[in-house]
Amino acid sequence: EENHRKYIYVVRRQQGILGEELAAEKRFVTVLEEGDTYVALEAKALQEGEEVILTSTKTLSDGDIVRYRLSGEE
């Protein structure tokens, strides 16, 4: 939450010096309903196939380069 506005981070593909890279994109959203383990967002918040970043090992900022970490990886 930032200034009483909720946001999520989605994965954005972009071209970098070494080719395609993944970046975090901060997106402000409207929350319709919220529970302990779920959140319902306004339908236009995401497009089909977009990936939401659920957890991170570091604090994220808009535009940060990210990479996938598979379950069980250290």
Side-chain angles (χ1 to χ4, degrees):
E1 190 171 333
E2 179 180 287
N3 295 325
H4 305 292
R5 294 174 63 197
K6 305 270 185 179
Y7 64 87
I8 60 173
Y9 283 105
V10 295
V11 176
R12 177 181 73 225
R13 296 179 191 296
Q14 63 185 26
Q15 287 300 313
I17 297 171
L18 300 175
E20 186 178 81
E21 57 190 15
L22 305 175
E25 178 183 315
K26 182 188 246 183
R27 185 169 305 162
F28 288 96
V29 294
T30 300
V31 175
L32 301 176
E33 194 173 328
E34 197 169 346
D36 291 338
T37 58
Y38 71 90
V39 174
L41 302 178
E42 190 173 49
K44 66 180 181 179
L46 294 169
Q47 295 178 10
E48 187 174 335
E50 283 190 302
E51 298 172 286
V52 177
I53 298 173
L54 299 176
T55 61
S56 176
T57 58
K58 298 179 182 176
T59 303
L60 286 177
S61 295
D62 190 45
D64 282 352
I65 303 305
V66 296
R67 62 182 176 160
Y68 291 107
R69 187 176 200 175
L70 300 176
S71 181
E73 241 184 32
E74 291 188 26

